């Protein structure tokens, strides 16, 4: 079936000359069109958000027919020659699977499962849910904003190549990164050691960050809670938590929404929208890191405990973590991945040469109780399979695992439950010095009747 006979497909054509105009001040060519640069487009257009959508994109030098390509930040399937039509220098991807906003076919993970987000502020979650509901009711078409290079997520080597194509010395890239990541500036105008001509070009063709701040709450203790609006109208949450000992911890999201269906979780009740890209995950951290640098402070820790199941967006999460380490200087040991228990990807993480911390959303000590609260428990083989995998993880990584336990009054907050949990650890040879149980009073949500205990003994 041809594209013209598919009325639901939205085709966006970006001609080579247009891309050259956007990326080159001399309008003389697309000098830095590489596969990695294709991943750095800051605002993926709305046509990607649908099933069966197709895209016609300008020819990118160095792109082969069998590449696994990312168009405007979204992954497509690997395509073959039989699925590509070339016409005077451009490539048309016909029928490629693009970003699907469906719980049945998420974009990235081999597993079609996403995760619980832990204890996100109820009022902010209500804002996210209400705003998304209004968007669904209105069904307003989203127009893609003008293409701009995202300086906050563009790696140094790519920025150097871009500046060289603009006939500027590549060393200006380090100056730009210094202003953003060491001085915490948020305006190109403040980069005073850059030539005026370069600043003018950057103001026209780049942006420092693509996440749009929708709302912000600041508590008395200095905790900052933010809702960011993505290019397609989805909302995600990021939190910055200061501690008296000097630590500054960012709690960030890995998905828009969640498909785990944990009954007590506000994000799980919202449902799953889509995976976040590597750049969207990294930018949440980079924003906090840059802002703290501007106040002569430093982001010390990152926890993947915002919206979504990190291990169900495995590739993008690990890609973002590598960049947190290399670009922002955050030690992998200061980064924690929280999971509801995606057993295959826990095993995959176990074999990665990446010493991140692991936190398991446990909450219950029997299969019957855990499957009722966390449907993913049964999907991944139950507690026996999960705890055996955790024991192996501890042995291989030689790292302590945190077990998250949301206290729900009358359900999992009794002494008998505590004894059952102790027996669970003993039966699976989980050493007491390698397990930390983190008790968290439940944040009540409108979609779940349970609440926190009146007191914690």
């Amino acid at each position: 079936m041809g594209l013209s006979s598919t009325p639901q497909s939205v085709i966006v054509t970006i001609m080579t000359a247009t891309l050259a105009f956007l990326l080159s001040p001399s309008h003389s060519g697309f000098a830095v069109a590489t596969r990695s640069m294709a991943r750095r487009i800051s605002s993926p257009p709305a046509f990607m958000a649908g099933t069966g959508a197709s895209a016609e994109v300008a020819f990118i030098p160095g792109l082969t027919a069998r590449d696994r390509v990312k168009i405007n930040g979204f992954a497509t399937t690997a395509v073959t020659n039989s699925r590509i039509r070339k016409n005077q220098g451009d490539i048309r991807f016909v029928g490629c699977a693009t970003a699907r906003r469906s719980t049945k076919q998420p974009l990235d993970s081999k597993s079609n499962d996403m995760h619980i987000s832990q204890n996100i502020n109820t009022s902010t979650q209500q804002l996210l849910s209400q705003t998304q509901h209004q968007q669904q009711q209105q069904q307003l078409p989203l127009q893609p904003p003008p293409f701009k290079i995202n300086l906050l997520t563009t790696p140094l080597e790519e920025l150097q190549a871009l500046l060289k194509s603009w006939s500027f010395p590549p060393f200006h890239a380090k100056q730009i990164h210094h202003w953003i990541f060491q001085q915490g500036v948020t305006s190109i105008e403040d980069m005073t050691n850059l030539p005026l001509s370069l600043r003018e070009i950057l103001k026209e063709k780049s942006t420092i960050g693509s996440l749009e701040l929708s709302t912000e709450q600041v508590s008395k203790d200095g905790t900052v809670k933010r809702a960011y609006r993505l290019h397609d109208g989805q909302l995600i949450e990021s939190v910055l938590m200061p501690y008296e000992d000097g630590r500054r911890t960012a709690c960030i999201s890995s998905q828009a929404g969640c498909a785990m269906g944990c009954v007590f979780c506000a994000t799980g009740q919202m449902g799953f929208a889509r995976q976040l890209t590597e750049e969207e995950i990294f930018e949440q951290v980079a924003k906090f890191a840059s802002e703290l640098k501007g106040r002569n402070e430093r982001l010390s820790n990152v926890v993947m405990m915002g919206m979504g199941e990190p291990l169900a967006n495995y590739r993008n999460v690990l890609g973002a973590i590598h960049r947190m380490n290399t670009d922002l200087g955050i030690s992998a040991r200061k980064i924690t991945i929280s999971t509801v228990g995606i057993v295959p990807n826990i095993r995959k993480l176990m074999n990665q040469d990446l010493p991140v911390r692991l936190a398991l959303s446990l909450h219950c000590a029997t299969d019957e109780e855990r499957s009722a609260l966390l449907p993913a428990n049964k999907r991944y083989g139950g507690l026996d399979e999960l705890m055996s995998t955790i024991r192996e993880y501890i042995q291989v990584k030689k790292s302590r695992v945190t077990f998250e336990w949301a206290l729900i009054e009358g359900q999992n907050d009794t002494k008998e439950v505590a004894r059952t949990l102790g027996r669970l650890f003993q039966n699976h040879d989980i050493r007491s010095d390698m397990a930390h149980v983190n008790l968290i009073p439940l944040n009540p949500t409108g979609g779940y009747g349970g609440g926190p205990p009146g007191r914690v003994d």
Side-chain angles (χ1 to χ4, degrees):
M1 180 180 293
L3 292 175
S4 60
S5 61
T6 310
Q8 293 183 347
S9 294
V10 183
I11 305 173
V12 175
T13 303
I14 309 172
M15 300 307 294
T16 305
T18 304
L19 283 174
F21 176 84
L22 291 171
L23 289 176
S24 174
S26 62
H27 309 158
S28 60
F30 194 16
V32 291
T34 63
R35 272 172 280 177
S36 55
M37 181 59 75
R39 296 197 301 268
R40 305 299 167 192
I41 297 177
S42 64
S43 301
F47 79 85
M48 303 301 289
T51 58
S54 300
E56 185 174 309
V57 298
F59 175 73
I60 299 176
L63 200 64
T64 64
R66 294 186 177 273
D67 280 321
R68 183 176 178 85
V69 186
K70 280 192 175 183
I71 305 173
N72 288 12
F74 285 87
T76 68
T77 56
V79 294
T80 64
N81 287 321
S82 62
R83 302 180 69 187
I84 292 179
R85 296 206 301 264
K86 294 186 179 181
N87 181 18
Q88 295 183 348
D90 45 65
I91 296 177
R92 176 174 293 180
F93 293 76
V94 182
C96 291
T98 56
R100 298 180 183 271
R101 296 175 63 186
S102 164
T103 56
K104 295 182 180 179
Q105 194 165 0
L107 175 65
D108 180 33
S109 176
K110 291 182 180 179
S111 162
N112 289 344
D113 306 299
M114 287 74 223
H115 162 65
I116 172 178
S117 69
Q118 295 288 333
N119 297 284
I120 294 180
N121 179 270
T122 304
S123 61
T124 308
Q125 282 298 327
Q126 289 173 343
L127 170 67
L128 303 181
S129 180
Q130 291 169 2
T131 304
Q132 290 176 334
H133 178 71
Q134 292 171 359
Q135 291 171 346
Q136 293 169 359
Q137 293 290 342
Q138 295 172 355
Q139 294 183 338
L140 296 176
L142 292 171
Q143 297 298 323
F147 169 83
K148 287 194 173 184
I149 296 294
N150 189 350
L151 298 177
L152 198 59
T153 61
T154 301
L156 181 63
E157 62 274 13
E158 294 184 11
L159 187 55
Q160 290 172 332
L162 179 63
L163 294 180
K164 188 175 180 180
S165 76
W166 289 350
S167 301
F168 287 99
F171 73 84
H172 287 312
K174 290 187 177 180
Q175 292 176 319
I176 294 170
H177 269 212
H178 178 82
W179 281 113
I180 295 173
F181 297 115
Q182 300 302 321
Q183 300 297 321
V185 304
T186 57
S187 171
I188 292 169
E189 196 62 49
D190 294 334
M191 301 179 183
T192 53
N193 61 348
L194 297 181
L196 179 60
S197 58
L198 177 56
R199 277 182 277 161
E200 291 300 319
I201 293 170
L202 289 174
K203 284 190 290 184
E204 178 186 355
K205 303 182 185 301
S206 70
T207 179
I208 303 177
S210 64
L211 302 180
E212 177 189 345
L213 183 62
S214 177
T215 188
E216 180 177 276
Q217 300 174 345
V218 183
S219 63
K220 293 181 179 180
D221 66 359
T223 298
V224 179
K225 299 183 177 76
R226 292 175 177 172
Y228 288 116
R229 190 181 308 278
L230 307 179
H231 69 90
D232 54 1
Q234 297 295 334
L235 291 170
I236 60 172
E237 188 181 65
S238 301
V239 181
L240 179 64
M241 299 173 287
Y243 294 91
E244 293 182 357
D245 61 3
R247 285 177 296 142
R248 299 292 182 266
T249 299
C251 176
I252 63 172
S253 298
S254 57
Q255 296 173 323
C258 179
M260 286 291 93
C262 301
V263 299
F264 57 86
C265 173
T267 308
Q269 294 163 16
M270 291 166 56
F272 174 70
R274 67 170 175 86
Q275 307 279 25
L276 297 189
T277 66
E278 176 184 319
E279 289 77 15
E280 288 168 334
I281 298 168
F282 174 75
E283 184 174 332
Q284 296 173 70
V285 180
K287 275 184 175 290
F288 284 136
S290 177
E291 292 168 13
L292 287 171
K293 281 288 187 180
R295 305 200 300 261
N296 292 319
E297 299 179 27
R298 179 179 176 273
L299 184 64
S300 57
N301 298 75
V302 176
V303 292
M304 307 286 297
M305 297 182 182
M307 298 174 66
E309 162 58 66
L311 290 188
N313 191 8
Y314 188 87
R315 185 183 61 185
N316 289 343
V317 164
L318 258 65
I321 287 175
H322 279 295
R323 293 201 59 195
M324 295 174 206
N325 181 236
T326 58
D327 295 7
L328 303 179
I330 301 173
S331 169
R333 290 182 172 84
K334 301 294 184 179
I335 300 172
T336 299
I337 295 177
S338 175
T339 179
V340 73
I342 311 295
V343 170
N345 285 353
I346 293 175
R347 293 188 178 279
K348 189 185 297 185
L349 183 64
M350 178 169 58
N351 295 316
Q352 289 277 344
D353 186 20
L354 189 67
V356 295
R357 304 288 184 179
L358 182 67
L360 174 67
S361 296
L362 187 58
H363 309 302
C364 299
T366 68
D367 274 319
E368 181 180 2
E369 294 172 341
R370 193 167 192 267
S371 295
L373 287 181
L374 290 78
N377 182 64
K378 184 180 296 185
R379 193 177 307 149
Y380 291 103
L383 281 173
D384 185 64
E385 179 70 18
L386 176 60
M387 297 303 287
S388 297
T389 301
I390 293 297
R391 180 187 65 240
E392 187 178 352
Y393 182 94
I394 292 172
Q395 291 172 347
V396 171
K397 305 293 275 189
K398 296 179 173 54
S399 175
R400 186 172 71 166
V401 171
T402 295
F403 295 87
E404 297 165 348
W405 194 277
L407 290 167
I408 306 171
E409 186 171 23
Q411 291 194 42
N412 66 355
D413 62 340
T414 66
K415 292 181 179 179
E416 181 55 38
V417 171
R419 295 189 186 98
T420 303
L421 176 61
R423 288 193 292 270
L424 179 69
F425 285 167
Q426 288 179 344
N427 292 341
H428 289 88
D429 297 323
I430 305 294
R431 290 167 41 188
S432 59
D433 62 326
M434 300 300 281
H436 172 72
V437 179
N438 186 25
L439 302 179
I440 314 166
L442 180 73
N443 266 332
T445 65
Y448 178 67
R455 65 174 187 172
V456 179
D457 295 326

mmCIF file of all heavy atoms in Angstrom, residues 182-212:
data_model
loop_
_atom_site.group_PDB
_atom_site.id
_atom_site.type_symbol
_atom_site.label_atom_id
_atom_site.label_comp_id
_atom_site.label_asym_id
_atom_site.label_seq_id
_atom_site.Cartn_x
_atom_site.Cartn_y
_atom_site.Cartn_z
ATOM 1 N N GLN A 182 30.051 24.574 33.832
ATOM 2 C CA GLN A 182 30.886 25.037 34.935
ATOM 3 C C GLN A 182 30.398 26.365 35.518
ATOM 4 O O GLN A 182 30.514 26.591 36.712
ATOM 5 C CB GLN A 182 32.345 25.198 34.463
ATOM 6 C CG GLN A 182 32.971 23.917 33.952
ATOM 7 C CD GLN A 182 32.977 22.800 34.991
ATOM 8 O OE1 GLN A 182 33.210 23.041 36.166
ATOM 9 N NE2 GLN A 182 32.711 21.582 34.555
ATOM 10 N N GLN A 183 29.860 27.234 34.675
ATOM 11 C CA GLN A 183 29.376 28.528 35.143
ATOM 12 C C GLN A 183 27.866 28.559 35.336
ATOM 13 O O GLN A 183 27.343 29.457 35.994
ATOM 14 C CB GLN A 183 29.784 29.632 34.148
ATOM 15 C CG GLN A 183 31.289 29.766 33.969
ATOM 16 C CD GLN A 183 31.998 30.164 35.252
ATOM 17 O OE1 GLN A 183 31.504 30.983 36.017
ATOM 18 N NE2 GLN A 183 33.157 29.566 35.502
ATOM 19 N N GLY A 184 27.172 27.593 34.749
ATOM 20 C CA GLY A 184 25.727 27.509 34.945
ATOM 21 C C GLY A 184 24.934 28.574 34.224
ATOM 22 O O GLY A 184 23.812 28.899 34.649
ATOM 23 N N VAL A 185 25.456 29.131 33.122
ATOM 24 C CA VAL A 185 24.715 30.168 32.414
ATOM 25 C C VAL A 185 23.558 29.541 31.638
ATOM 26 O O VAL A 185 23.627 28.389 31.206
ATOM 27 C CB VAL A 185 25.619 30.973 31.455
ATOM 28 C CG1 VAL A 185 26.795 31.575 32.195
ATOM 29 C CG2 VAL A 185 26.091 30.115 30.291
ATOM 30 N N THR A 186 22.503 30.296 31.490
ATOM 31 C CA THR A 186 21.328 29.822 30.759
ATOM 32 C C THR A 186 21.032 30.706 29.550
ATOM 33 O O THR A 186 20.022 30.512 28.882
ATOM 34 C CB THR A 186 20.099 29.803 31.682
ATOM 35 O OG1 THR A 186 19.896 31.115 32.227
ATOM 36 C CG2 THR A 186 20.287 28.810 32.819
ATOM 37 N N SER A 187 21.901 31.671 29.281
ATOM 38 C CA SER A 187 21.715 32.576 28.155
ATOM 39 C C SER A 187 22.991 32.629 27.320
ATOM 40 O O SER A 187 24.092 32.783 27.859
ATOM 41 C CB SER A 187 21.362 33.988 28.641
ATOM 42 O OG SER A 187 21.382 34.916 27.574
ATOM 43 N N ILE A 188 22.849 32.497 26.016
ATOM 44 C CA ILE A 188 23.998 32.573 25.122
ATOM 45 C C ILE A 188 24.639 33.950 25.179
ATOM 46 O O ILE A 188 25.851 34.102 25.016
ATOM 47 C CB ILE A 188 23.564 32.209 23.693
ATOM 48 C CG1 ILE A 188 23.175 30.720 23.629
ATOM 49 C CG2 ILE A 188 24.672 32.499 22.681
ATOM 50 C CD1 ILE A 188 22.482 30.302 22.364
ATOM 51 N N GLU A 189 23.853 34.958 25.451
ATOM 52 C CA GLU A 189 24.351 36.320 25.539
ATOM 53 C C GLU A 189 25.412 36.469 26.623
ATOM 54 O O GLU A 189 26.292 37.330 26.552
ATOM 55 C CB GLU A 189 23.198 37.282 25.804
ATOM 56 C CG GLU A 189 23.533 38.747 25.547
ATOM 57 C CD GLU A 189 23.900 39.015 24.098
ATOM 58 O OE1 GLU A 189 23.159 38.583 23.203
ATOM 59 O OE2 GLU A 189 24.948 39.666 23.876
ATOM 60 N N ASP A 190 25.335 35.606 27.668
ATOM 61 C CA ASP A 190 26.291 35.687 28.783
ATOM 62 C C ASP A 190 27.632 35.047 28.463
ATOM 63 O O ASP A 190 28.566 35.143 29.271
ATOM 64 C CB ASP A 190 25.695 35.022 30.032
ATOM 65 C CG ASP A 190 24.489 35.775 30.565
ATOM 66 O OD1 ASP A 190 24.405 36.999 30.324
ATOM 67 O OD2 ASP A 190 23.629 35.148 31.218
ATOM 68 N N MET A 191 27.752 34.374 27.336
ATOM 69 C CA MET A 191 29.015 33.715 26.961
ATOM 70 C C MET A 191 29.943 34.753 26.329
ATOM 71 O O MET A 191 30.190 34.763 25.119
ATOM 72 C CB MET A 191 28.743 32.544 26.017
ATOM 73 C CG MET A 191 27.820 31.492 26.611
ATOM 74 S SD MET A 191 27.486 30.122 25.457
ATOM 75 C CE MET A 191 26.324 29.143 26.417
ATOM 76 N N THR A 192 30.478 35.618 27.151
ATOM 77 C CA THR A 192 31.124 36.845 26.676
ATOM 78 C C THR A 192 32.452 36.631 25.971
ATOM 79 O O THR A 192 32.925 37.538 25.278
ATOM 80 C CB THR A 192 31.327 37.797 27.863
ATOM 81 O OG1 THR A 192 32.022 37.104 28.915
ATOM 82 C CG2 THR A 192 29.995 38.290 28.390
ATOM 83 N N ASN A 193 33.093 35.459 26.143
ATOM 84 C CA ASN A 193 34.362 35.249 25.450
ATOM 85 C C ASN A 193 34.179 34.629 24.065
ATOM 86 O O ASN A 193 35.148 34.316 23.384
ATOM 87 C CB ASN A 193 35.316 34.399 26.287
ATOM 88 C CG ASN A 193 34.754 33.011 26.579
ATOM 89 O OD1 ASN A 193 33.576 32.753 26.346
ATOM 90 N ND2 ASN A 193 35.593 32.134 27.106
ATOM 91 N N LEU A 194 32.927 34.448 23.645
ATOM 92 C CA LEU A 194 32.653 33.981 22.282
ATOM 93 C C LEU A 194 32.543 35.180 21.348
ATOM 94 O O LEU A 194 32.053 36.245 21.752
ATOM 95 C CB LEU A 194 31.343 33.182 22.235
ATOM 96 C CG LEU A 194 31.267 31.881 23.030
ATOM 97 C CD1 LEU A 194 29.900 31.234 22.818
ATOM 98 C CD2 LEU A 194 32.379 30.917 22.653
ATOM 99 N N PRO A 195 32.974 35.025 20.101
ATOM 100 C CA PRO A 195 32.797 36.121 19.138
ATOM 101 C C PRO A 195 31.322 36.506 19.019
ATOM 102 O O PRO A 195 30.435 35.648 19.087
ATOM 103 C CB PRO A 195 33.326 35.537 17.828
ATOM 104 C CG PRO A 195 34.218 34.408 18.238
ATOM 105 C CD PRO A 195 33.649 33.852 19.500
ATOM 106 N N LEU A 196 31.068 37.779 18.831
ATOM 107 C CA LEU A 196 29.689 38.252 18.715
ATOM 108 C C LEU A 196 28.966 37.560 17.570
ATOM 109 O O LEU A 196 27.779 37.210 17.690
ATOM 110 C CB LEU A 196 29.679 39.770 18.515
ATOM 111 C CG LEU A 196 28.299 40.424 18.358
ATOM 112 C CD1 LEU A 196 27.450 40.177 19.587
ATOM 113 C CD2 LEU A 196 28.446 41.921 18.080
ATOM 114 N N SER A 197 29.681 37.351 16.460
ATOM 115 C CA SER A 197 29.046 36.701 15.305
ATOM 116 C C SER A 197 28.603 35.278 15.631
ATOM 117 O O SER A 197 27.532 34.829 15.196
ATOM 118 C CB SER A 197 30.005 36.684 14.112
ATOM 119 O OG SER A 197 31.222 36.015 14.448
ATOM 120 N N LEU A 198 29.414 34.553 16.415
ATOM 121 C CA LEU A 198 29.036 33.201 16.814
ATOM 122 C C LEU A 198 27.848 33.229 17.760
ATOM 123 O O LEU A 198 26.931 32.406 17.659
ATOM 124 C CB LEU A 198 30.235 32.491 17.464
ATOM 125 C CG LEU A 198 29.959 31.079 18.000
ATOM 126 C CD1 LEU A 198 29.401 30.169 16.921
ATOM 127 C CD2 LEU A 198 31.236 30.479 18.590
ATOM 128 N N ARG A 199 27.851 34.178 18.688
ATOM 129 C CA ARG A 199 26.721 34.280 19.606
ATOM 130 C C ARG A 199 25.416 34.540 18.854
ATOM 131 O O ARG A 199 24.362 33.989 19.212
ATOM 132 C CB ARG A 199 26.974 35.379 20.643
ATOM 133 C CG ARG A 199 27.816 34.922 21.834
ATOM 134 C CD ARG A 199 27.987 36.026 22.841
ATOM 135 N NE ARG A 199 29.072 36.935 22.481
ATOM 136 C CZ ARG A 199 29.215 38.157 22.955
ATOM 137 N NH1 ARG A 199 28.328 38.644 23.798
ATOM 138 N NH2 ARG A 199 30.234 38.908 22.586
ATOM 139 N N GLU A 200 25.476 35.362 17.843
ATOM 140 C CA GLU A 200 24.274 35.658 17.074
ATOM 141 C C GLU A 200 23.755 34.401 16.368
ATOM 142 O O GLU A 200 22.549 34.145 16.329
ATOM 143 C CB GLU A 200 24.560 36.765 16.050
ATOM 144 C CG GLU A 200 24.813 38.132 16.660
ATOM 145 C CD GLU A 200 23.635 38.624 17.478
ATOM 146 O OE1 GLU A 200 22.472 38.423 17.027
ATOM 147 O OE2 GLU A 200 23.846 39.193 18.566
ATOM 148 N N ILE A 201 24.687 33.616 15.817
ATOM 149 C CA ILE A 201 24.292 32.378 15.152
ATOM 150 C C ILE A 201 23.705 31.390 16.162
ATOM 151 O O ILE A 201 22.677 30.746 15.907
ATOM 152 C CB ILE A 201 25.498 31.752 14.420
ATOM 153 C CG1 ILE A 201 25.922 32.649 13.262
ATOM 154 C CG2 ILE A 201 25.158 30.351 13.912
ATOM 155 C CD1 ILE A 201 27.230 32.238 12.629
ATOM 156 N N LEU A 202 24.353 31.274 17.320
ATOM 157 C CA LEU A 202 23.863 30.350 18.343
ATOM 158 C C LEU A 202 22.484 30.756 18.847
ATOM 159 O O LEU A 202 21.627 29.894 19.104
ATOM 160 C CB LEU A 202 24.860 30.290 19.507
ATOM 161 C CG LEU A 202 26.185 29.581 19.236
ATOM 162 C CD1 LEU A 202 27.124 29.727 20.422
ATOM 163 C CD2 LEU A 202 25.963 28.098 18.908
ATOM 164 N N LYS A 203 22.259 32.041 19.000
ATOM 165 C CA LYS A 203 20.939 32.500 19.455
ATOM 166 C C LYS A 203 19.848 32.140 18.452
ATOM 167 O O LYS A 203 18.713 31.844 18.833
ATOM 168 C CB LYS A 203 20.956 34.009 19.705
ATOM 169 C CG LYS A 203 21.646 34.416 21.003
ATOM 170 C CD LYS A 203 21.454 35.876 21.344
ATOM 171 C CE LYS A 203 22.199 36.792 20.402
ATOM 172 N NZ LYS A 203 22.084 38.215 20.819
ATOM 173 N N GLU A 204 20.216 32.148 17.175
ATOM 174 C CA GLU A 204 19.238 31.837 16.128
ATOM 175 C C GLU A 204 19.025 30.345 15.954
ATOM 176 O O GLU A 204 17.893 29.894 15.727
ATOM 177 C CB GLU A 204 19.715 32.439 14.804
ATOM 178 C CG GLU A 204 18.797 32.144 13.633
ATOM 179 C CD GLU A 204 19.355 32.626 12.308
ATOM 180 O OE1 GLU A 204 20.428 33.281 12.309
ATOM 181 O OE2 GLU A 204 18.719 32.338 11.273
ATOM 182 N N LYS A 205 20.085 29.543 16.108
ATOM 183 C CA LYS A 205 20.024 28.150 15.690
ATOM 184 C C LYS A 205 20.181 27.145 16.818
ATOM 185 O O LYS A 205 20.231 25.947 16.558
ATOM 186 C CB LYS A 205 21.097 27.889 14.621
ATOM 187 C CG LYS A 205 20.989 28.799 13.410
ATOM 188 C CD LYS A 205 22.037 28.464 12.369
ATOM 189 C CE LYS A 205 21.971 29.471 11.224
ATOM 190 N NZ LYS A 205 20.646 29.473 10.578
ATOM 191 N N SER A 206 20.279 27.594 18.071
ATOM 192 C CA SER A 206 20.467 26.645 19.166
ATOM 193 C C SER A 206 19.643 27.054 20.371
ATOM 194 O O SER A 206 19.086 28.154 20.435
ATOM 195 C CB SER A 206 21.952 26.561 19.545
ATOM 196 O OG SER A 206 22.385 27.761 20.164
ATOM 197 N N THR A 207 19.581 26.141 21.319
ATOM 198 C CA THR A 207 18.883 26.384 22.568
ATOM 199 C C THR A 207 19.648 25.696 23.692
ATOM 200 O O THR A 207 20.337 24.691 23.464
ATOM 201 C CB THR A 207 17.442 25.854 22.513
ATOM 202 O OG1 THR A 207 16.789 26.098 23.762
ATOM 203 C CG2 THR A 207 17.412 24.348 22.250
ATOM 204 N N ILE A 208 19.576 26.235 24.897
ATOM 205 C CA ILE A 208 20.189 25.579 26.057
ATOM 206 C C ILE A 208 19.090 24.802 26.768
ATOM 207 O O ILE A 208 18.446 25.282 27.704
ATOM 208 C CB ILE A 208 20.856 26.601 26.997
ATOM 209 C CG1 ILE A 208 21.900 27.427 26.230
ATOM 210 C CG2 ILE A 208 21.534 25.889 28.166
ATOM 211 C CD1 ILE A 208 22.563 28.505 27.057
ATOM 212 N N GLY A 209 18.832 23.607 26.286
ATOM 213 C CA GLY A 209 17.785 22.767 26.851
ATOM 214 C C GLY A 209 16.513 22.816 26.036
ATOM 215 O O GLY A 209 16.166 23.853 25.455
ATOM 216 N N SER A 210 15.820 21.669 25.983
ATOM 217 C CA SER A 210 14.570 21.572 25.223
ATOM 218 C C SER A 210 13.365 21.290 26.106
ATOM 219 O O SER A 210 12.228 21.365 25.640
ATOM 220 C CB SER A 210 14.682 20.465 24.166
ATOM 221 O OG SER A 210 14.836 19.199 24.794
ATOM 222 N N LEU A 211 13.593 20.951 27.385
ATOM 223 C CA LEU A 211 12.483 20.677 28.292
ATOM 224 C C LEU A 211 11.845 21.995 28.721
ATOM 225 O O LEU A 211 12.519 22.887 29.229
ATOM 226 C CB LEU A 211 12.959 19.897 29.520
ATOM 227 C CG LEU A 211 13.633 18.545 29.260
ATOM 228 C CD1 LEU A 211 14.048 17.904 30.572
ATOM 229 C CD2 LEU A 211 12.720 17.623 28.476
ATOM 230 N N GLU A 212 10.554 22.098 28.557
ATOM 231 C CA GLU A 212 9.829 23.318 28.920
ATOM 232 C C GLU A 212 9.293 23.196 30.340
ATOM 233 O O GLU A 212 8.548 22.256 30.658
ATOM 234 C CB GLU A 212 8.671 23.542 27.947
ATOM 235 C CG GLU A 212 7.800 24.743 28.281
ATOM 236 C CD GLU A 212 6.553 24.812 27.437
ATOM 237 O OE1 GLU A 212 6.499 24.108 26.409
ATOM 238 O OE2 GLU A 212 5.624 25.551 27.810
#
